[in-house]
Amino acid sequence: MSMMAPTESSTDDRARGLGPTRARVLALLQDAGEPLTADDVATRMALHANTARFHLEALESGGLAVRTTEARRTPGRPRALFTAAPGVAEVGHRSYRLLAQILTGYLANRLPDPQQSAVEAGSAWGRFLAAPPAPFHEVDAQEAVEALVVRLGSVGFESHAAGEGDQLRLEVNHCPFLELAEDNRDVICSVHLGLMRGLLEQMQAPVAAESLEPLVEPSRCIARLRALPA
C-alpha cells in the first residue's frame, strides 16, 4: 500500500506529540481570533464537549494553550476560556502554493499582456520593499547592487553580483518561485524582473535591471543590469 508523504504541518504536529484531533483543536484556537470555551470548540469541530475539554486541558498542560476565566456581570459560574499560547508555531495546513498556482495560471491565461502586467506588479512591490536613500545621499552603482542582493535575499532569493562597468549582472542561485516558474515562467520571471526594477528605482540607483534570463542552468538565472548615464 502506498503512503502519502507527510506535509510540513503534519510533521511539525507529530514533532510536538500532537495527534490529528489535538492539532486541529490548536489550529482552531490559533485561527479563532478570540478566546473559546470547550463548548465553542465542540460545536465548531463536531466533538463531544468532554472530548473538546480533554484536548484543551492537554494543550494547556503542554504549554500550547492558555486558560483564563470569563469575567461575568450576570449570575452564573464563570466559564473557562482558552487561547493559543503566544509564540506557538502555526499548526494548521496552509496551501499557499496551490493558491499561487491558481492565481498565476489565471493571470497567464486571462490578461491581454500577462508578462507586462507581472512586471508592473513586481515593480510596485519592489518599490514598496525598498528603502529610499537618505536625503542628499547619492547611491553609487556598487552600493545599489549590494543593496539589491540584500533586499532580494530578505524575500528568499540567493544571488550575487558579477561583472564590472557596463557589464553588470546578478546571478541568482536560488529562486523562491522556482516551482511556480516551471509552469508559468513568463509570469513568474516577469514578477522577479519587476521586483528588481522597483527596488532599484526606489533606491534612485544609477543602475537598471534590463532583462532576466531564466534557468540558464537548473536553479540558476541571470539578471542583466545596465549602468545609467550620469
Side-chain angles (χ1 to χ4, degrees):
M1 180 176 63
S2 63
M3 298 185 66
M4 294 179 63
T7 64
E8 182 178 346
S9 59
S10 66
T11 302
D12 291 345
D13 297 344
R14 287 202 301 272
R16 291 192 183 92
L18 302 181
T21 301
R22 193 163 301 168
R24 287 173 54 221
V25 172
L26 178 55
L28 175 60
L29 294 180
Q30 291 174 327
D31 291 343
E34 61 180 354
L36 299 179
T37 67
D39 287 338
D40 293 332
V41 172
T43 300
R44 298 189 191 191
M45 295 186 58
L47 298 173
H48 190 280
N50 288 340
T51 302
R53 189 173 295 107
F54 168 75
H55 287 296
L56 289 167
E57 291 175 349
L59 290 171
E60 181 193 10
S61 297
L64 300 175
V66 175
R67 182 203 301 248
T68 57
T69 302
E70 179 186 39
R72 293 184 66 98
R73 296 185 178 180
T74 57
R77 182 179 179 181
R79 299 177 300 172
L81 301 172
F82 293 86
T83 56
V88 175
E90 295 283 343
V91 296
H93 181 65
R94 303 289 189 264
S95 295
Y96 294 128
R97 180 176 169 185
L98 175 61
L99 175 61
Q101 289 173 316
I102 292 169
L103 295 176
T104 303
Y106 180 85
L107 295 176
N109 288 282
R110 294 301 180 94
L111 291 179
D113 190 347
Q115 285 180 270
Q116 182 58 34
S117 298
V119 169
E120 292 172 359
S123 182
W125 272 94
R127 290 191 295 272
F128 172 75
L129 293 172
F136 315 115
H137 176 68
E138 293 187 5
V139 179
D140 62 29
Q142 180 178 350
E143 182 183 0
V145 174
E146 290 174 353
L148 178 62
V149 169
V150 171
R151 291 289 179 179
L152 289 174
S154 70
V155 293
F157 292 93
E158 181 184 318
S159 56
H160 67 274
E164 57 184 23
D166 293 335
Q167 303 300 315
L168 291 172
R169 67 184 185 275
L170 206 65
E171 298 191 358
V172 183
N173 300 315
H174 177 267
C175 172
F177 306 151
L178 181 61
E179 292 80 8
L180 294 172
E182 291 172 353
D183 295 326
N184 289 289
R185 183 178 300 184
D186 289 348
V187 171
I188 297 303
C189 295
S190 295
V191 169
H192 183 186
L193 177 60
L195 274 174
M196 291 187 288
R197 287 180 176 174
L199 285 163
L200 291 168
E201 289 169 7
Q202 186 69 6
M203 288 188 282
Q204 300 174 24
V207 178
E210 191 148 71
S211 63
L212 177 68
E213 299 174 21
L215 300 177
V216 294
E217 296 176 5
S219 302
R220 180 170 174 264
C221 305
I222 295 179
R224 301 292 178 181
L225 307 179
R226 175 173 53 88
L228 298 175

